[in-house]
Amino acid sequence: MVTASQISLPARFLLLLLIGLNSAEMVIMQEDSVRCLKGLKSSLSDPDDNLSSWNFATTAKVGFVCNFVGIFCWNLQENRVMEIRLPSKSLSGNLPSALQYCYSTTTVVFSGNQLSGPIPSGLCDWIPNVVFLDLSGNNFNGSIPAGIVNCKFLNTLLLNGNKLSGIIPPELASLDRLRKFSVANNKLSGTIPSGLSQFGSSSFEGNNGLCGGSLGGCGGLSRTSLIIIIAAGVFGALVALLLAFAIWRWISVHPKGKKKKASGSSSVPSGVEGGMEDLGWVNRIRAHHLVQVTLFQKPIVKVKLADLMVATNDFQSSTVISTGGRTGKTYKATLSDGSTLAVKRLPGGEFSEKQFRSEMARLGQLRHPNLVPLLGFCVVEDERLLVFKHMASGSLSSLLHTSSAAGAEVLDWQTRLKIGIGASRGLAWLHHGIQSPIIHQNICSSVILLDEDHEARITDFGLKALMRRSSLGGAAFVDGEFGELGYVAPEYSSTMVASPKGDVFAFGVVLLELITGKKPLDSEEGFKGNLVDWVNYLAVNKRIGEAIDKRLLGNGNDDDIIKFMKVATSCVVSRPKERCLMNQVYNSLKEIAATAAGYDCSEHYDEFPLVYGIKDSIAGGSSNTEPTQ
Ligand SMILES: *[C@@H]1O[C@H](CO)[C@@H](O)[C@H](O)[C@H]1NC(C)=O
Ligand SMILES: *[C@@H]1O[C@H](CO)[C@@H](O)[C@H](O)[C@H]1NC(C)=O
């Protein structure tokens, strides 16, 4: 029920209500209301006699229409109709133009009847003050009139469950008060206007030809498969082709059973070192190569799955840039214009496509200069591909741990500090800056990526929620449920519940990697334990200086390095209660930078944006968040 207080009253009528109506006006009102309801009754067929109380013989009494079933007036002393509520009354017929005499009406509910014909294009000229319009569950056909925008006070518009066809008029986007909207289960087609993107897929589903917006890629999967099925029925040749393809695929998937044939067939593309299994999924999605990749920001050029396949050389293993542990492999996609994207293949989850899409919509909104922007995604069959901005300088892990190999450039202290601050800022934002905080659950040096300027950007945030949960217990740890080995907070072995403090612990390990140059499972030769154990052991024995990467010391930064080490060790204390919060970690690191010699902390480290509405406005580095085309 919409109560009067919820309704935005058009000022004109509010004024009339307050000053009262003179008798002449009242007569007009009376006549108009009667005209409206008479017209309505006569155009509707009412087999259950539900409108029998609509008796117009007793015109003498002012306000008599207010006692009609389904009619509510502004005021019992006058006949002005405020609400027409006739849900599920077995009514049939068309919406008559007589409704124009009910121009003060704010609520019109005809849901669950058998009304038919078009939604009158002039409906909103007739009842321009309507706030709540529910025509769902009828047999209305034809297209949705663009004139609906003239109902500019609309707060709820329900047209679901009819036989409406054609497109959704893009004009509807200008209904800026609209909070509840559905055109689900009609026969609509075309693209969902971008201005309606705030409504979830449930507002649109059940329309065969509809795509885009919250429904995702145009030319979606179900349609494509349907077309294939129909086409296969018509063209026998195609059936044969598909059959041949299926057999070939079966052979590829079962190479041992058909050894001779497989070795005889040199048609298996070379260069797919990932083995036969890899080939399987790529071939499965190939059938859907025309599926469009859903991009969160309006792309200049539409990207299709086929483009990603070409750009990754059919997801060839040589394009893998990260194996990604439990969150799946990431491939580097090089588009024809030379620009690059990172495409992540998410392992199967137990979430419905709908849940997945809504999670994507949420993650796609998160824009922060220290997060790798999720640009879009693509769902075909069981495969979920995420499209990220590609980070040119790779991961912190590879930069830190492979550069220690022969001759490679050593990351200087300033760069390490900058990476620590940037990453802590991104993670602190995930914990404290957004309305529903995100616990990363997989912080490690390989999810901290670096762009061209060595600005740290965290990736894989929010993906743990999309992973299939392994059975809790010892296996969960081996499986990386709580992060990579060496990063897992000690309390997880008993609590088994992800917490922000668990992220802080893992982040502390990253800081230790930065300052010691060692890997999380490394320690000094002869010491039994991981990096955290080793650093703690040295700290207890007042030998913490020994843990620091020798290459950093003696350049005038030693005091800062010691401070940094203190922050790092305060993150990896074993009792979660004694650990700092992520925003404290960020602030401590920022303080080190504020006094650091030769450290440029001017514009990069302005105030931490604590923003509770996640819109584009957050993006401090918005220039970095454009999708690469
Ligand atoms: C009105 O409609 C309801 C539901 O269809 C029905 O139960 C009822 O008998 C109808 N008639 C009247 C006069 O209310
Ligand atoms: C709507 O349905 C009616 C029959 O109920 C039919 O005559 C009319 O052609 C249909 N209009 C459209 C646009 O499909």
Side-chain angles (χ1 to χ4, degrees):
M1 284 289 272
V2 172
T3 62
S5 64
Q6 283 175 290
I7 292 167
S8 69
L9 291 180
R12 191 159 55 102
F13 289 100
L14 190 61
L15 207 63
L16 282 178
L17 198 67
L18 291 178
I19 61 175
L21 303 167
N22 64 36
S23 52
E25 277 170 330
M26 227 132 60
V27 170
I28 295 171
M29 285 285 177
Q30 172 115 334
E31 283 175 357
D32 282 351
S33 297
V34 169
R35 240 166 133 176
C36 165
L37 298 181
K38 261 187 182 164
L40 192 56
K41 186 176 180 181
S42 70
S43 68
L44 299 180
S45 128
D46 175 24
D48 291 353
D49 215 12
N50 265 300
L51 304 184
S52 58
S53 66
W54 289 29
N55 180 354
F56 298 95
T58 57
T59 43
K61 250 174 83 189
V62 168
F64 73 101
V65 304
C66 305
N67 296 319
F68 288 2
V69 161
I71 300 301
F72 301 83
C73 294
W74 283 95
N75 183 324
L76 286 178
Q77 272 70 59
E78 44 170 301
N79 268 344
R80 206 145 44 92
V81 174
M82 178 169 76
E83 300 188 358
I84 302 172
R85 291 182 180 271
L86 296 167
S88 306
K89 298 269 188 272
S90 321
L91 304 173
S92 55
N94 301 340
L95 282 184
S97 61
L99 276 175
Q100 64 188 291
Y101 299 110
C102 280
Y103 40 80
S104 319
T105 304
T106 61
T107 298
V108 173
V109 178
F110 282 111
S111 56
N113 287 292
Q114 275 99 52
L115 301 187
S116 57
I119 295 175
S121 61
L123 183 66
C124 287
D125 300 324
W126 302 340
I127 47 168
N129 300 301
V130 68
V131 173
F132 191 100
L133 180 58
D134 184 355
L135 302 180
S136 62
N138 283 285
N139 295 323
F140 287 112
N141 67 0
S143 54
I144 300 174
I148 291 268
V149 285
N150 297 328
C151 291
K152 54 179 181 294
F153 302 109
L154 269 182
N155 181 305
T156 299
L157 175 59
L158 302 175
L159 304 177
N160 48 302
N162 282 290
K163 294 174 177 167
L164 299 169
S165 53
I167 61 160
I168 302 176
E171 290 89 344
L172 292 195
S174 66
L175 291 171
D176 51 7
R177 293 170 184 240
L178 210 52
R179 292 294 168 269
K180 220 175 146 202
F181 172 76
S182 181
V183 290
N185 301 313
N186 278 291
K187 296 173 174 175
L188 296 165
S189 55
T191 310
I192 295 171
S194 58
L196 296 174
S197 57
Q198 73 268 36
F199 300 105
S201 54
S202 58
S203 294
F204 303 101
E205 59 200 11
N207 287 286
N208 262 344
L210 213 52
C211 64
S214 52
L215 288 183
C218 287
L221 165 62
S222 49
R223 241 171 104 222
T224 314
S225 8
L226 200 67
I227 289 167
I228 288 177
I229 291 163
I230 293 166
V234 175
F235 305 104
L238 188 57
V239 176
L241 254 174
L242 283 175
L243 200 65
F245 172 73
I247 292 169
W248 175 67
R249 201 182 104 199
W250 191 83
I251 291 168
S252 333
V253 175
H254 302 86
K256 277 182 190 152
K258 298 274 173 183
K259 217 168 189 167
K260 272 180 191 166
K261 273 190 185 173
S263 61
S265 111
S266 57
S267 65
V268 176
S270 59
V272 186
E273 297 114 56
M276 297 301 194
E277 252 164 283
D278 265 359
L279 207 60
W281 77 271
V282 175
N283 283 332
R284 251 185 304 115
I285 65 171
R286 198 187 304 281
H288 308 291
H289 65 285
L290 289 179
V291 169
Q292 206 165 317
V293 177
T294 306
L295 294 170
F296 299 117
Q297 294 182 10
K298 225 178 198 153
I300 302 160
V301 185
K302 297 223 158 89
V303 179
K304 293 202 169 68
L305 177 58
D307 300 319
L308 297 185
M309 297 188 75
V310 169
T312 55
N313 230 331
D314 283 353
F315 296 96
Q316 206 179 64
S317 50
S318 63
T319 63
V320 171
I321 44 181
S322 151
T323 49
R326 261 175 61 80
T327 61
K329 281 183 183 163
T330 304
Y331 301 81
K332 179 177 174 180
T334 309
L335 302 179
S336 53
D337 65 352
S339 62
T340 50
L341 295 169
V343 182
K344 189 175 195 70
R345 180 190 173 212
L346 220 56
E350 56 205 9
F351 292 87
S352 69
E353 185 170 332
K354 194 175 149 193
Q355 285 170 314
F356 176 75
R357 285 182 186 280
S358 81
E359 193 57 23
M360 285 296 103
R362 180 167 95 102
L363 296 181
Q365 292 254 302
L366 298 178
R367 289 286 187 267
H368 185 279
N370 296 109
L371 298 182
V372 176
L374 175 63
L375 304 177
F377 65 93
C378 183
V379 186
V380 280
E381 294 192 358
D382 290 341
E383 293 297 336
R384 285 133 207 251
L385 300 172
L386 311 191
V387 180
F388 291 96
K389 187 174 157 72
H390 175 246
M391 292 295 128
S393 303
S395 73
L396 173 61
S397 171
S398 63
L399 202 68
L400 204 56
H401 302 313
T402 55
S403 72
S404 52
E409 170 204 11
V410 175
L411 275 184
D412 63 17
W413 166 244
Q414 277 75 15
T415 307
R416 296 193 202 198
L417 179 58
K418 176 177 166 175
I419 292 170
I421 293 172
S424 67
R425 187 176 177 232
L427 188 55
W429 190 74
L430 288 175
H431 284 188
H432 310 289
I434 52 178
Q435 205 160 23
S436 35
I438 289 181
I439 301 172
H440 192 291
Q441 291 187 65
N442 193 28
I443 287 292
C444 56
S445 55
S446 48
V447 301
I448 296 172
L449 306 186
L450 303 163
D451 65 16
E452 302 81 353
D453 307 322
H454 282 176
E455 188 70 64
R457 285 170 171 258
I458 296 177
T459 191
D460 280 9
F461 50 91
L463 298 190
K464 266 288 148 89
L466 292 168
M467 300 289 108
R468 180 177 290 131
R469 299 206 192 289
S470 42
S471 55
L472 289 180
F477 287 90
V478 181
D479 230 24
E481 179 84 27
F482 293 100
E484 304 293 313
L485 285 180
Y487 294 94
V488 183
E491 70 272 16
Y492 278 160
S493 63
S494 54
T495 64
M496 295 279 176
V497 176
S499 74
K501 289 291 179 82
D503 274 1
V504 173
F505 183 95
F507 190 76
V509 178
V510 172
L511 294 181
L512 288 179
E513 286 181 77
L514 275 169
I515 198 163
T516 64
K518 289 189 184 299
K519 294 180 188 173
L521 293 176
D522 281 356
S523 57
E524 198 71 339
E525 221 167 293
F527 182 85
K528 284 211 170 58
N530 58 29
L531 182 58
V532 172
D533 300 329
W534 182 58
V535 169
N536 281 337
Y537 161 81
L538 290 177
V540 167
N541 292 284
K542 308 253 179 300
R543 289 163 53 199
I544 190 78
E546 291 175 30
I548 295 167
D549 192 336
K550 304 285 177 295
R551 297 167 296 185
L552 300 177
L553 291 167
N555 296 320
N557 306 310
D558 295 7
D559 288 350
D560 290 341
I561 293 173
I562 297 291
K563 285 186 206 158
F564 189 100
M565 179 60 104
K566 279 197 182 132
V567 177
T569 51
S570 73
C571 293
V572 295
V573 294
S574 52
R575 289 174 52 117
K577 276 194 180 143
E578 290 165 15
R579 259 175 244 153
C580 316
L581 291 171
M582 214 44 232
N583 54 0
Q584 294 169 324
V585 175
Y586 165 63
N587 282 324
S588 309
L589 294 178
K590 200 171 60 162
E591 251 165 56
I592 299 174
T595 55
Y599 190 87
D600 168 29
C601 59
S602 52
E603 51 175 337
H604 288 95
Y605 303 112
D606 52 352
E607 252 335 279
F608 178 77
L610 277 172
V611 181
Y612 288 96
I614 40 175
K615 279 275 164 204
D616 301 338
S617 59
I618 304 157
S622 53
S623 61
N624 291 330
T625 60
E626 298 304 320
T628 319
Q629 287 307 322

